[in-house]
Amino acid sequence: MADDQDDIAVEDEVLEAPERGSATELMDHGASGELGPMRHSAAHVLAEAVLDLFPGTKLGIGPVIEDGFYYDFLLPRPLTPDDLPKIEERMRASIAADHPFELSEETPEVARARLAEQGQDFKVEIIDDLLAASKRDGTSMPPTTFYRQGPFIDLCRGPHVVSTGKIGPFKLLGTAGGYWRGDEKRPMLQRVYGTAWATQQELDDYLWRREEARKRDHRRLGAALDLFSFHDVSPGSAFWHPKGQSIWRTLEGAMRELQARRGYQEVSTPIVVAEKLWRQSGHWDLYRDNMFLVESENQTFSLKPMNCPESTYIYRSHLRSYRDLPLRFSEFGRLHRNERSGTLSGLTRVRQFIQDDAHLYVRPDRLTDEIVALLGEVNESYGWFGLTPRFTFATKPDKAIGDPALWERAEQLTREAFAAADISYELKPKDGTFYAPKIDIYIDDALGREWQMATIQIDLTMLPERFDLTYIDEEGKPQRPIAIHRAIYGSLERFIGILIEHFGGAFPLWLAPVQAVVIPIADRHIDAARELAGVLRGRGLRVEVDESSNRMQYKIRTAQEQKVPYMVVLGDREIEARTASPRTRSGEQQPAEDWDAFADRLAEESRARTVT
């Protein structure tokens, strides 16, 4: 099962940027959409300001990115936070001057000579690569295009707004480091990030979302809530603390319960797998660079990056009949991907993760029913978190294995399943995996950010054909099953990271690692507090008793900071009446109720997996 881990650019750390592209791509810094040309123009104004403030600066590239832009520079000295307001001031001056963006063309040779004279080595390299590509292809290179605004001119394909005065409200956001063309052997450049919007209100809204995202950053909350940590002895692998492991096990238990209702059978397969398996599956040629390789007794093995091929050995351990299908093998498999260090980002980009994987082997005439049921599983499980899934359908990519006729059949069956489930979807041409079309599931979190989540892949090629899977049909003849690869959480590490940010660490009761804290007012109330905790634990709830010597208000504040859903303060009056007056983490004081009634109510709320 392929798992997509999102790249998250983090300020003030080294980024291994993905600009290993062609020289043509490096020149094409623009973006589609009405904001793209404006942000591209803002990147040029940024470069103008930096070059003015820091003579001798060498320019890299300045593309538009989601919600903004950046420009890379080789500077005489490192930038500091105090530099950004000064750069912004120079940018505002250029915008106020309303310089027109003027296009000019020169022959590549003249352009190269001019840039070399200016000492712009990175721009010269871009032109050299374009010239080399033209020579290699036997074509003539078109004229080189430049854009000028005021005193500044830059090698660029465009597009731009009419003039600098058309650039809307903007803000520089921070700095980072990026290797030239994403190559760690090349110079480290300083990257300045910025954003620009059509109106001040849009800019203010974006900056609020960004600040809120900072507060919700799962790496910060993970430490504050004592959920997990990372250590250099195992880069890209989370060390789960007891509270984080509680979240993990709760999610795992909910999925196991769903799978049991659907007739899944849980399996477990080895972590270290021989090279020959990956050659047979096709992963070796396409995925080898992402594998951790192990040599033993003159053989090459790898830590498995996915579970898919191994399940076929369990399938083939018996002769299968049409009566046996569908077979649904689930596995919480531990996977390893050799991600580059610069792309690692908390839980959302890791090297070791566990996936709620499953491989379903289905008769072709039952595929539609199975996909409809899987879409139902997605809707149910995402409902536990109050999330509404959206669906996309990704078709055959250019680099694909297998018979084109099988691909056509798989895609048609998938369309029929969407129609049968009465679920709309967005088509994503050529975005399937190398072995199967797929259904991808997306959600928007509390800040409106889009995340790619679950995936369902309809495989008529890799597992069935390459591993010679068969079942005996009603006439006693061998037939190929269809294999469905599916993950609903996907990487549990990534899923938990997204949930932390979505809920801001304030998990719904059913998922919270500590569901209630009992707070005795004085030491003489500790025994009763332990007794109430026992009543709650007897209902399966996760409870702590704060027996510290801190003052009551401090204990309440601590529980709120830890985002515990319920706090119960016990004093003489409550103990005598055997009542609890629960206080929620939002500060709401609820009516008193007897201990058993309180325990029953919380237990029912937890079992219902509601989001309040």
Side-chain angles (χ1 to χ4, degrees):
M1 172 71 70
D3 175 69
D4 297 312
Q5 301 186 71
D6 285 355
D7 288 313
I8 294 183
V10 182
E11 291 181 22
D12 303 321
E13 62 182 41
V14 174
L15 301 180
E16 297 181 83
E19 61 264 1
R20 287 183 181 274
S22 67
T24 301
E25 291 170 330
L26 295 184
M27 280 189 63
D28 189 8
H29 301 163
S32 59
E34 61 184 34
L35 289 176
M38 185 181 71
R39 288 170 175 165
H40 185 196
S41 302
H44 277 232
V45 172
L46 165 62
E48 175 192 353
V50 170
L51 201 59
D52 186 31
L53 287 168
F54 302 95
T57 294
K58 296 183 186 298
L59 302 177
I61 62 170
V64 173
I65 56 175
E66 184 177 6
D67 291 333
F69 59 89
Y70 70 77
Y71 212 112
D72 286 342
F73 306 99
L74 187 61
L75 288 153
R77 66 164 174 82
L79 292 173
T80 69
D82 291 339
D83 290 319
L84 295 186
K86 298 174 184 176
I87 297 172
E88 287 181 339
E89 183 179 353
R90 295 296 179 97
M91 291 176 67
R92 291 190 183 94
S94 178
I95 291 171
D98 198 19
H99 297 301
F101 281 97
E102 300 173 323
L103 171 65
S104 62
E105 295 183 348
E106 293 181 354
T107 65
E109 292 76 14
V110 170
R112 186 190 188 285
R114 182 210 289 186
L115 292 167
E117 183 180 350
Q118 295 171 352
Q120 294 297 340
D121 301 337
F122 302 121
K123 304 290 187 180
V124 170
E125 182 179 325
I126 293 172
I127 293 180
D128 284 344
D129 285 355
L130 289 169
L131 286 167
S134 296
K135 184 177 180 180
R136 185 173 59 251
D137 298 338
T139 60
S140 60
M141 181 176 162
T144 303
T145 57
F146 290 82
Y147 275 87
R148 175 190 293 274
Q149 85 265 8
F152 179 75
I153 187 168
D154 198 1
L155 177 71
C156 178
R157 286 179 176 270
H160 289 282
V161 292
V162 175
S163 64
T164 58
K166 301 300 182 183
I167 297 173
F170 73 94
K171 177 72 177 174
L172 297 185
L173 302 174
T175 62
Y179 292 109
W180 171 237
R181 303 184 86 164
D183 185 347
E184 59 268 26
K185 297 179 181 177
R186 305 299 302 277
M188 170 67 73
L189 308 184
Q190 294 186 68
R191 179 172 299 175
V192 179
Y193 284 101
T195 189
W197 296 83
T199 67
Q200 186 64 44
Q201 184 62 54
E202 289 176 301
L203 174 61
D204 291 342
D205 290 345
Y206 170 74
L207 294 176
W208 176 86
R209 292 194 304 272
R210 193 168 182 274
E211 176 61 19
E212 189 65 19
R214 186 194 66 79
K215 294 176 183 176
R216 291 171 178 250
D217 189 317
H218 73 276
R219 292 161 296 190
R220 187 183 71 83
L221 287 174
L225 301 178
D226 195 24
L227 303 179
F228 60 85
S229 57
F230 286 87
H231 303 279
D232 60 8
V233 293
S234 186
S237 302
F239 287 65
W240 290 98
H241 299 197
K243 290 180 180 178
Q245 188 69 1
S246 171
I247 295 171
W248 180 290
R249 291 304 181 196
T250 303
L251 289 172
E252 189 179 51
M255 185 56 64
R256 279 199 166 103
E257 178 189 303
L258 182 152
Q259 291 174 168
R261 283 190 273 113
R262 282 269 291 130
Y264 285 80
Q265 303 174 70
E266 189 165 345
V267 300
S268 179
T269 58
I271 291 177
V272 179
V273 189
E275 170 189 340
K276 66 179 182 180
L277 178 75
W278 307 115
R279 288 191 179 277
Q280 186 175 354
S281 69
H283 288 98
W284 189 257
D285 293 333
L286 297 171
Y287 216 81
R288 180 180 178 182
D289 290 344
N290 292 93
M291 295 183 184
F292 285 102
L293 302 183
V294 179
E295 298 292 331
S296 176
E297 297 182 343
N298 298 319
Q299 291 190 69
T300 301
F301 298 82
S302 82
L303 301 180
K304 64 176 178 180
M306 62 276 298
N307 297 303
C308 322
E310 291 178 274
S311 71
T312 63
Y313 284 78
I314 299 175
Y315 182 94
R316 293 191 304 180
S317 65
H318 298 285
L319 180 65
R320 305 295 181 177
S321 160
Y322 72 96
R323 297 180 185 275
D324 298 326
L325 305 186
L327 278 175
R328 306 181 184 99
F329 293 144
S330 65
E331 178 174 12
F332 287 89
R334 189 176 298 275
L335 306 178
H336 294 80
R337 308 253 174 109
N338 191 12
E339 304 286 355
R340 299 172 69 195
S341 60
T343 66
L344 299 176
S345 181
L347 295 177
T348 56
R349 192 70 155 188
V350 291
R351 286 177 172 168
Q352 175 186 275
F353 58 96
I354 291 180
Q355 191 163 264
D356 68 319
D357 219 345
H359 295 90
L360 292 70
Y361 296 97
V362 185
R363 292 160 36 187
D365 62 319
R366 297 294 300 275
L367 178 67
T368 296
D369 292 342
E370 202 63 34
I371 294 178
V372 169
L374 286 170
L375 294 174
E377 290 179 24
V378 171
N379 279 318
E380 177 185 347
S381 55
Y382 280 57
W384 300 336
F385 313 99
L387 299 171
T388 302
R390 298 191 308 279
F391 299 89
T392 68
F393 175 33
T395 59
K396 180 183 177 184
D398 291 330
K399 292 183 179 180
I401 63 173
D403 184 346
L406 291 177
W407 275 88
E408 289 182 16
R409 186 182 181 201
E411 290 178 3
Q412 181 57 35
L413 289 170
T414 305
R415 291 187 181 94
E416 292 173 3
F418 270 120
D422 193 23
I423 290 177
S424 61
Y425 62 90
E426 176 189 349
L427 186 66
K428 298 184 74 174
K430 298 186 177 183
D431 200 40
T433 68
F434 73 91
Y435 56 83
K438 62 175 180 171
I439 298 168
D440 284 331
I441 289 85
Y442 292 80
I443 59 99
D444 292 331
D445 69 8
L447 297 182
R449 298 173 299 182
E450 181 180 79
W451 296 92
Q452 181 179 335
M453 308 295 284
T455 186
I456 301 168
Q457 301 166 0
I458 298 86
D459 178 10
L460 278 70
T461 301
M462 194 236 313
L463 297 187
E465 294 287 333
R466 292 200 168 202
F467 290 89
D468 192 24
L469 304 183
T470 61
Y471 68 93
I472 305 303
D473 68 11
E474 296 94 326
E475 298 178 0
K477 297 178 181 179
Q479 302 291 344
R480 288 269 188 255
I482 295 174
I484 303 175
H485 311 239
R486 84 99 178 98
I488 294 180
Y489 295 148
S491 157
L492 265 77
E493 279 80 356
R494 181 173 177 270
F495 191 73
I496 292 172
I498 292 169
L499 289 180
I500 292 170
E501 298 196 2
H502 174 65
F503 290 113
F507 299 104
L509 176 73
W510 74 271
L511 189 58
V514 178
Q515 296 171 307
V517 170
V518 183
I519 300 173
I521 294 177
D523 288 350
R524 67 179 183 274
H525 305 130
I526 288 177
D527 288 342
R530 292 172 180 170
E531 184 182 354
L532 173 56
V535 172
L536 294 167
R537 290 183 184 123
R539 304 303 201 279
L541 296 163
R542 298 180 290 276
V543 187
E544 289 183 352
V545 177
D546 188 340
E547 300 183 19
S548 70
S549 60
N550 295 317
R551 297 174 64 86
M552 183 185 70
Q553 290 302 322
Y554 183 87
K555 293 179 181 182
I556 292 172
R557 186 166 64 253
T558 298
Q560 286 179 313
E561 290 173 350
Q562 288 295 299
K563 304 183 187 295
V564 178
Y566 288 98
M567 290 144 273
V568 181
V569 176
L570 282 188
D572 294 334
R573 183 174 56 187
E574 291 82 9
I575 294 170
E576 181 179 354
R578 292 183 68 82
T579 60
S581 298
R583 177 191 180 100
T584 68
R585 62 188 161 206
S586 64
E588 177 192 358
Q589 188 68 54
Q590 297 184 336
E593 53 192 320
D594 70 65
W595 289 1
D596 285 322
F598 175 57
D600 289 341
R601 178 168 67 85
L602 263 60
E604 178 55 35
E605 183 182 341
S606 183
R607 280 192 297 271
R609 299 195 185 105
T610 56
V611 178
T612 56

